[in-house]
Amino acid sequence: MKAWDVIVIGAGAAGLMCAAEAGKRGRKVLLLDHGKRIGRKILMSGGGRCNFTNYFVEPAAYLCGNPHFVKSALARYTQWDFIALVEKHGIAYHEKTLGQLFCDDSAQDIVDMLVKECEDAGVTIRLRAEILQVDRLGEGFMVATAGDEVSCQSLVVASGGLSMPKIGASPFGYKLAEQFGLRVLPTRAGLVPFTLQPEDKATLEPLAGVSLPVVAESEDGTRFAESLLFTHRGVSGPSVLQISSYWQAGEQVHFELLPAGRLAQGVADSPNQELKTWLGRYLPKRLVETLLEREKITSKPLKQYVPKELAAIEQLLSAWPLKPGGTEGYRTAEVTLGGVDTNELSSKTMMANKVPNLYFIGEVVDVTGWLGGYNFQWAWSAGWCAGQVV
Ligand code: FDA
């Protein structure tokens, strides 16, 4: 049985970063993945250009059972550290919006960069490696793959979450955590489009393709000012993906289509204009027609509405309520909420408190970032921290 210092399971964002860092410290590292390609999610991320980090990374941009958990790793390996690595490799990048950094050319640049870092650090990468069993072996571990058995002093689990099972996502990390007695918090799809209740689908489906800037708000008061997109299946766009991570089944989401006070201004400025025409100045025409029809609002000159009617229209425009039927689930979700309970791990090293030399990094952990490069930054930061100690 070949002995390694470190075995990392999962050649995704977190695993590649951790393996390279451990290798640089002179550790003999084996990186295993059951897939046939390295970094498949990196390759498909950001529309093929990988939104690899964000200028505005901060702990508040992460959902986690213990909101303090992410602070140490994000402070020790920051977005500026990753940007420096990208620049060292001569990768051209740009800010798209809201601090989101994308490759100018291709996400392949990021994968090539991480593979080069691993190669330079002497990491051995083995793909198509199906893991059959993991057992404790003294202070370390024995890992049985379909090909052979290998042992290691430190075992790092970087097997990711459940989203996109078609490209290799598996519950491996959660099962392994449970095997070693660690608590795993319930998982659900995050950064995911909403599906609609049948009656909403009937009235909103014709709006497929319509997009507009909104402020989406969840029942806990979290708000995101980004765009909303109607699709054939339901609603999507950045505002929906963001708010989906804060949504629980059965809850409503509210969309601010027009800021409060705008209608009162309209009544004062354009009293003779019909509601439908006036709304058409600010909102897509198809949406205006659908909204008025759904809510049974008759369009007439603004001055003809009585205060009670105006208040109801104002309420509708400033907080349009929608009760999603559900989400599109792991098939299209960008991330998985929940996972290995952070109370089980050291926030500095990612080692399991009660299982020395067992580490969990990246998305398998109960840490989920906003849309916009925050999830990769968590993977880089957590991977880097573990890489310093394994
Ligand atoms: P990741 O999923 O990257 O890697 C896990 C690895 O483990 C995979 O290679 C998998 O094959 C392997 N594995 C799983 N089970 C295994 C088993 N049983 N045995 C062996 N290996 C196993 N984030 C962001 O910040 N910016 C962005 O632009 C995007 N865009 C984006 C687009 C799409 C379509 C998706 C689905 C996701 C994103 N994300 C994103 C999220 C981001 O991809 C995600 O947070 C990171 O990839 C998580 O990194 P990890 O290394 O933890 O898991």
Side-chain angles (χ1 to χ4, degrees):
M1 180 162 49
K2 186 157 181 190
W4 298 83
D5 294 331
V6 182
I7 294 178
V8 180
I9 298 176
L16 286 160
M17 174 61 86
C18 177
E21 286 301 311
K24 283 181 204 168
R25 290 175 38 244
R27 305 288 278 160
K28 211 159 62 126
V29 183
L30 174 64
L31 176 55
L32 298 173
D33 199 294
H34 65 172
K36 54 181 192 283
R37 286 190 79 177
I38 297 170
R40 278 179 295 182
K41 273 197 191 156
I42 301 175
L43 291 173
M44 70 185 305
S45 68
R49 291 226 163 100
C50 186
N51 176 194
F52 54 81
T53 191
N54 192 294
Y55 280 142
F56 307 121
V57 168
E58 50 158 348
Y62 293 85
L63 288 101
C64 175
N66 170 8
H68 301 294
F69 182 81
V70 298
K71 288 181 180 171
S72 170
L74 292 177
R76 292 176 67 218
Y77 189 83
T78 68
Q79 65 272 43
W80 310 112
D81 293 316
F82 194 77
I83 291 167
L85 183 65
V86 166
E87 288 179 354
K88 186 182 104 184
H89 284 259
I91 298 172
Y93 65 91
H94 61 278
E95 179 188 359
K96 200 167 165 193
T97 175
L98 303 169
Q100 302 168 1
L101 301 189
F102 287 75
C103 297
D104 283 358
D105 293 331
S106 161
Q108 184 72 52
D109 291 345
I110 298 293
V111 173
D112 291 347
M113 173 187 86
L114 293 164
V115 169
K116 176 86 172 51
E117 289 282 308
C118 282
E119 281 170 1
D120 290 352
V123 173
T124 300
I125 302 180
R126 203 179 288 167
L127 299 175
R128 293 188 165 96
E130 194 193 339
I131 318 285
L132 302 177
Q133 200 177 327
V134 175
D135 286 308
R136 200 68 158 143
L137 187 69
E139 294 291 289
F141 298 88
M142 187 281 296
V143 177
T145 70
D148 61 355
E149 287 187 359
V150 281
S151 70
C152 59
Q153 291 166 10
S154 296
L155 180 66
V156 184
V157 182
S159 54
L162 297 171
S163 54
M164 305 251 164
K166 271 195 182 153
I167 56 160
S170 83
F172 175 86
Y174 308 129
K175 288 188 178 158
L176 194 82
E178 283 170 348
Q179 177 190 332
F180 284 95
L182 308 185
R183 203 166 117 89
V184 176
L185 299 176
T187 54
R188 65 179 212 278
L191 298 181
V192 64
F194 286 135
T195 55
L196 300 174
Q197 314 263 11
E199 57 275 24
D200 285 331
K201 189 155 192 283
T203 54
L204 298 178
E205 198 175 3
L207 292 179
V210 169
S211 163
L212 69 158
V214 299
V215 180
E217 182 169 351
S218 58
E219 287 194 4
D220 71 359
T222 306
R223 289 164 67 86
F224 289 98
E226 295 207 49
S227 65
L228 161 69
L229 170 69
F230 291 88
T231 71
H232 287 291
R233 288 189 294 265
V235 287
S236 186
S239 74
V240 166
L241 301 187
Q242 296 280 35
I243 215 69
S244 72
S245 296
Y246 292 82
W247 177 81
Q248 303 284 347
E251 290 182 354
Q252 277 192 336
V253 173
H254 289 92
F255 294 98
E256 182 188 284
L257 306 174
L258 275 188
R262 183 70 63 82
L263 180 62
Q265 194 63 47
V267 177
D269 296 345
S270 318
N272 295 317
Q273 195 155 44
E274 261 206 34
L275 176 66
K276 196 163 151 183
T277 317
W278 180 80
L279 280 174
R281 287 196 212 167
Y282 303 103
L283 303 174
K285 285 202 169 54
R286 275 159 71 195
L287 175 63
V288 171
E289 281 162 15
T290 303
L291 273 181
L292 296 186
E293 203 178 307
R294 262 171 68 99
E295 305 300 326
K296 302 191 174 42
I297 298 171
T298 312
S299 182
K300 52 188 179 182
L302 293 179
K303 67 180 180 198
Q304 290 181 13
Y305 291 98
V306 297
K308 201 173 152 202
E309 287 173 322
L310 284 176
I313 299 169
E314 162 96 9
Q315 175 65 24
L316 175 73
L317 296 172
S318 62
W320 177 51
L322 188 69
K323 192 171 180 179
T327 73
E328 288 188 6
Y330 294 120
R331 189 177 59 82
T332 59
E334 280 203 13
V335 287
T336 303
L337 290 143
V340 178
D341 188 347
T342 53
N343 291 315
E344 301 279 14
L345 307 176
S346 154
S347 62
K348 192 161 178 229
T349 64
M350 306 294 141
M351 190 174 84
N353 299 323
K354 54 191 181 214
V355 189
N357 304 328
L358 177 63
Y359 298 77
F360 290 85
I361 56 173
E363 197 180 322
V364 72
V365 178
D366 169 38
V367 171
T368 305
W370 289 347
L371 186 77
Y374 296 91
N375 285 294
F376 277 135
Q377 185 59 46
W378 167 248
W380 316 134
S381 296
W384 185 90
C385 286
Q388 308 311 307
V389 292
V390 288

